Amino acid sequence: MACSTKLKRTRFAPSPTGPLHLGHAYAALVAQSRADPGQFLLRIEDIDRSRCRPAWEAAIYDDLAWLGLTWQTPVWRQSGRLGAYQSALNHLISLGLCYPCRCSRADIRAALSAPQEGGPDGPCYPGTCRARQMHDATPTDAIRLNMARALARIGAPLSFTETGTTHAGAHVASEEWLLTTCGDIIISRRDMGTSYHLAVVVDDAAQGITEVTRGEDLFAATHIHRLLQALLGLPAPLYHHHTLIRDETGRRLAKRDDARALARFRAEGATPQDVRRLVGL
Ligand code: GLU
C-alpha cells in the first residue's frame, strides 16, 4: 500500500522590535524540535514598520545561529509580502465582509458603555462605522471584518487540533466568542495595509507550515486564524502553543527586559547549553 507522509514544517516568526530573550530561545528551539525530521523556517514579521529595525533583525540571525539553529533560506520577511496580503484582503472585500473604519482608540472607548477587556485585539468594536461602504474608504481608514457576516458564510465548524500540552486535543472555535468578545476585528491597519492575523494565515499557508508552534498567549487568536483560513480557502495546520518562560515573579518576559536578553547571556560567557538548561530543555 502506498504510504504518503507529509513533510513536517514549522516556523519561528519573531518581530525585529527588540533583543531576543530566553522566551524566544525557548520558542525557536521548540519549533525546531517539532519539525524534526522535517523543515524549520524562520520568518521575520516586520509589518509594523514603526517598531521594526534592521539591527534587531541582524541580531535575530546572530542569536539563533549562536544557539545552534539552522533554517531554510531565503528567509521570508513580511514587509516583502504586502502584495499577497492585499490579494487576500481584496478577496474578503469582494465577499462583502469588510468596511472602512475611522475610529481612534479613544473614539471606541468613548462609544463603549462600560470598559471591557475584549478579545486578543482589545475591546469588542461597538460598530460605529459598520454601515460604511468600501467605496467610501479613505487612505487614513482601517479596514474591519464584519464578524456576523463572516460567520454567516462559514458552513462547517471551525475546528483545529492542538498538540501543545496546555490545550491538547480537538477544538472548535466558538462562534459566540468570536462574535461577542472579538467582534469586528481590524483586518488591515491604516499604517500597514494588513494586520497580524491576516499576514500570519496567508504566510503559514503559503509556506506550507504543517504545525504552527508559538506561545500560548496566541492560543485565543487561533480562533480568528481558523475563521480567516476558512474564508480564504486555506488549509488548517496543526497548532502547538507552548508555555511561556516567566521571570521569578511569574511575569512573562518582554523585549524591554534586557536582563534576559540572549545577547547579554552571550556577552557574560554563557553557552547555548546553559540557555537550554535555563529554559528547561
Ligand atoms: N510575530 C509574533 C511575535 O513575535 C509571533 C506570531 C506567531 O507565531 O504567530 O510574537
Side-chain angles (χ1 to χ4, degrees):
M1 198 173 76
C3 167
S4 92
T5 42
K6 202 166 164 191
L7 186 69
K8 283 201 219 170
R9 192 178 282 170
T10 65
R11 83 319 189 258
F12 172 55
S15 299
T17 55
L20 295 191
H21 54 56
L22 286 181
H24 295 106
Y26 180 67
L29 290 164
V30 168
Q32 192 203 37
S33 72
R34 297 291 305 173
D36 195 29
Q39 295 175 334
F40 166 68
L41 275 60
L42 171 63
R43 185 169 71 223
I44 302 294
E45 300 213 324
D46 60 349
I47 47 175
D48 187 347
R49 305 306 290 161
S50 65
R51 295 175 59 227
C52 295
R53 300 281 176 271
W56 293 130
E57 183 179 329
I60 289 172
Y61 301 132
D62 277 358
D63 284 342
L64 296 182
W66 174 78
L67 266 179
L69 292 167
T70 54
W71 51 88
Q72 300 278 307
T73 52
V75 169
W76 282 23
R77 276 196 199 91
Q78 290 194 321
S79 55
R81 301 263 308 142
L82 298 181
Y85 311 143
Q86 187 62 49
S87 303
L89 178 65
N90 289 345
H91 181 67
L92 298 176
I93 292 171
S94 74
L95 297 176
L97 303 180
C98 300
Y99 62 88
C101 174
R102 62 169 74 95
C103 296
S104 65
R105 279 174 212 268
D107 293 335
I108 295 171
R109 264 197 308 273
L112 291 171
S113 45
Q116 47 155 285
E117 215 175 293
D121 296 346
C124 185
Y125 180 62
T128 320
C129 289
R130 194 175 288 135
R132 291 183 61 205
Q133 301 292 319
M134 279 310 298
H135 56 76
D136 292 327
T138 72
T140 56
D141 285 326
I143 314 278
R144 287 188 183 272
L145 184 73
N146 182 316
M147 188 58 81
R149 282 201 202 159
L151 289 168
R153 268 200 79 86
I154 302 300
L158 295 164
S159 55
F160 63 98
T161 302
E162 169 69 34
T163 60
T165 46
T166 311
H167 306 277
H171 292 266
V172 176
S174 159
E175 298 198 1
E176 172 72 12
W177 181 82
L178 283 167
L179 191 61
T180 59
T181 304
C182 288
D184 294 357
I185 53 165
I186 289 187
I187 201 71
S188 176
R189 280 172 53 172
R190 72 190 93 214
D191 45 346
M192 287 185 193
T194 184
S195 60
Y196 158 64
H197 303 301
L198 187 62
V200 86
V201 299
V202 167
D203 283 350
D204 284 336
Q207 294 193 292
I209 301 300
T210 58
E211 186 176 83
V212 170
T213 74
R214 59 187 178 198
E216 64 187 8
D217 52 321
L218 289 168
F219 179 77
T222 304
H223 298 226
I224 297 172
H225 299 174
R226 282 296 297 119
L227 173 66
L228 294 179
Q229 286 157 355
L231 294 171
L232 294 167
L234 303 175
L238 296 172
Y239 284 90
H240 183 98
H241 291 91
H242 55 73
T243 51
L244 299 175
I245 302 291
R246 297 180 183 276
D247 68 14
E248 46 294 324
T249 67
R251 270 189 333 176
R252 54 182 287 213
L253 304 184
K255 285 200 173 129
R256 58 188 176 279
D257 185 4
D258 249 19
R260 276 112 186 148
L262 289 180
R264 178 102 173 244
F265 284 103
R266 285 167 63 185
E268 289 172 357
T271 65
Q273 212 39 50
D274 294 331
V275 168
R276 282 177 181 267
R277 246 193 321 271
L278 280 167
V279 298
L281 288 172

